[in-house]
Amino acid sequence: MAAWKHYSAIIFVQLLMAVMNLLGKTAFNRGMSTFVFVFYRQVVATVFLTPLAIIFTRKTAPPTSFKMLVKIFMLSLLGFPINLNLQSVVVNYTSATVASAALNLMPVFTFLLTVLLRIETFRLKSMSGIAKLSGFVLCVTGVMLIALYKGPQLKILNFHQPFLQSSGNHNYSTESRLSWILGSFLVFVVAIFWALWTVLQGIIIKEYPSKLLLATLISLFSAFQCFLVAFIFESNFKKWKLRWDEGLLAVAYNGVFIAGLALYLQSWCNDKKGPFFVAAFSPLALVFTITIASVILGERTNLGSVFGCAFIVGGLYGVLWGKSRDNIPSGAPIESAGEDLKIGNEFNIEEGK
C-alpha cells in the first residue's frame, strides 16, 4: 500500500520541476531579469524555510561552528549565485525543454565526478562500465543535437492558441540562433556545477545532518549572495520592481513549491527508496515539459529537440543501469540495488534547486 505513495510523490515532484522551468521561461519572456528572479526566489525560500527550521530544529539543531558556516557559505555560492543564475540564462536563451534536459545530465556528471574523486569505481571491460560510457556518449550527443540541429517543427505538439502567449522571438535570426547554441552548451556547465554541488553537499551533510536547517542556511546565504550578483549585473532598477504578473507567480512558486514542497518530497523518497529511485524518474520532468510547454507558452517543438531529449534520457538510464549492476552480487536481480545506490550523495537539485 505504501509503494504507490512513493511513486505518486516522485511523479508529482517531476511535475513541479517541469512547471518551474515553464513559469521561469514565461517570466523571462515578459522581460524579467534572470538575476533579479534568482534573488527574489531565494528571498522567498528563506522566508518560507526559516519559520519551519525554528519550529522543527530548535531543540535538535547540531552545533554550528564558524568553519561549518564557511563551508555552507561556499556551498551556497557554488549552487545559487553561480549555477542557478546560469540555469536561468539557459531557460532565457533556449527553452524550458532544454533547461529540463540539464536535470537529466546532472546524475551522469555526478557519477563522473565520483569516479574522479575515487568515490565510485569504473571498469571499462565490464558490462556496467560499457553501459556507463555509452550512456555518457548518448547524453553528450543529445545536447549536441539540441544545440546544432533543429529540424522540422512537429505540428502535433504545437498549438495555435496557447494559454500564455510567449513574447519571445520565434523567427530565428542569427543573433537568436547564437543565443540558442550558447544556451545549449551552457547546459553542460549547469550539469557539471550541479553535480559538483551534489557531491560537496553529500560531504557537508555528513558533518551537518540537519537537512532542514542546512537548506535554510543555504537559502539565507544565497539570498545575500544573489543580491550582490543582481546588483552588479542588473543596473536597470525598473526591472527590480515586482508586479502582479507571471514574474511574481514564478518567484512565489519557486520559493515555496520547489525550495519547500518538492525538496521535502524528494528527500522523503530518497530516504525511503534510495537515490536510484529518485534519479530514475527524472526524465518525467522532460516529458511533462515538452507536453505542457506548447499549451502554456506556445513553444515550437522541433524534431532536433525531441531526438536530443531522447538521447539524453537513454544515456541517463544507461548510466543508472550500469551503476545498479555495481551493487548486485552475481545472479541477483537488478531491483535489489535500488536501496543501496550512492551516486554522489543524493539528487536534491533544489536543496536550496
Side-chain angles (χ1 to χ4, degrees):
M1 185 67 178
W4 71 269
K5 294 181 180 180
H6 303 136
Y7 287 98
S8 300
I10 197 62
I11 290 172
F12 184 56
V13 166
Q14 299 309 318
L15 180 60
L16 291 176
M17 296 293 189
V19 175
M20 171 190 72
N21 284 324
L22 292 167
L23 288 177
K25 180 63 175 177
T26 304
F28 301 149
N29 284 344
R30 301 288 180 170
M32 187 172 193
S33 167
T34 57
F35 302 107
V36 173
F37 168 79
V38 172
F39 163 62
Y40 282 135
R41 166 199 158 123
Q42 293 310 110
V43 170
V44 172
T46 303
V47 172
F48 178 75
L49 289 172
T50 300
L52 297 178
I54 293 174
I55 294 171
F56 293 107
T57 67
R58 66 181 186 277
K59 295 181 180 179
T60 60
T64 308
S65 64
F66 177 77
K67 183 178 180 180
M68 178 55 62
L69 286 176
V70 171
K71 290 182 179 180
I72 297 174
F73 184 88
M74 296 307 296
L75 183 68
S76 304
L77 183 64
L78 174 65
F80 298 95
I82 296 176
N83 206 36
L84 200 56
N85 275 304
L86 283 176
Q87 186 173 339
S88 297
V89 170
V90 170
V91 175
N92 193 27
Y93 278 8
T94 57
S95 68
T97 300
V98 176
S100 292
L103 303 183
N104 291 319
L105 281 174
M106 194 277 291
V108 177
F109 283 108
T110 300
F111 175 75
L112 290 177
L113 283 173
T114 57
V115 170
L116 292 175
L117 295 173
R118 298 185 178 180
I119 299 173
E120 298 285 350
T121 58
F122 177 74
R123 297 187 302 274
L124 181 59
K125 294 183 179 180
S126 65
M127 284 296 295
S128 64
I130 294 172
K132 295 168 190 173
L133 181 61
S134 301
F136 176 72
V137 172
L138 283 174
C139 286
V140 173
T141 303
V143 175
M144 296 287 288
L145 275 173
I146 292 173
L148 303 176
Y149 173 69
K150 285 192 174 295
Q153 293 181 22
L154 300 181
K155 295 182 179 180
I156 192 173
L157 296 177
N158 294 136
F159 296 84
H160 297 290
Q161 293 181 336
F163 291 117
L164 290 175
Q165 288 286 352
S166 171
S167 62
N169 182 14
H170 291 305
N171 296 319
Y172 294 105
S173 63
T174 301
E175 183 179 355
S176 62
R177 178 65 174 165
L178 290 175
S179 296
W180 179 277
I181 294 174
L182 174 61
S184 298
F185 282 110
L186 278 177
V187 166
F188 278 115
V189 181
V190 170
I192 291 171
F193 272 124
W194 276 132
L196 179 60
W197 188 88
T198 303
V199 173
L200 294 177
Q201 178 206 29
I203 296 172
I204 289 179
I205 206 167
K206 290 179 181 178
E207 303 177 43
Y208 201 80
S210 178
K211 291 183 179 180
L212 180 58
L213 187 55
L214 177 62
T216 304
L217 289 173
I218 288 174
S219 296
L220 178 63
F221 288 147
S222 62
F224 171 73
Q225 294 163 346
C226 291
F227 168 76
L228 295 179
V229 172
F231 183 79
I232 293 171
F233 288 98
E234 187 51 73
S235 58
N236 184 1
F237 288 99
K238 291 183 179 179
K239 291 191 175 183
W240 286 71
K241 185 178 180 180
L242 288 175
R243 300 176 177 83
W244 292 96
D245 57 11
E246 295 87 347
L248 180 60
L249 177 62
V251 167
Y253 176 89
N254 276 265
V256 175
F257 286 97
I258 300 301
L261 182 59
L263 170 61
Y264 172 77
L265 291 175
Q266 197 174 44
S267 299
W268 179 71
C269 290
N270 207 316
D271 180 56
K272 298 295 183 181
K273 301 292 287 184
F276 176 81
F277 179 83
V278 176
F281 281 84
S282 60
L284 278 180
L286 193 58
V287 175
F288 286 140
T289 302
I290 293 174
T291 305
I292 302 173
S294 298
V295 178
I296 295 182
L297 298 180
E299 281 192 356
R300 296 180 177 183
T301 305
N302 300 288
L303 186 62
S305 294
V306 173
F307 277 162
C309 291
F311 272 82
I312 290 172
V313 171
L316 169 65
Y317 278 123
V319 172
L320 293 179
W321 184 87
K323 183 65 188 77
S324 70
R325 300 301 300 177
D326 290 339
N327 295 271
I328 303 176
S330 179
I334 192 170
E335 288 81 6
S336 64
E339 295 286 350
D340 301 322
L341 259 175
K342 301 294 179 184
I343 301 178
N345 183 58
E346 53 188 272
F347 291 101
N348 291 336
I349 300 175
E350 288 295 329
E351 186 153 338
K353 192 266 214 158

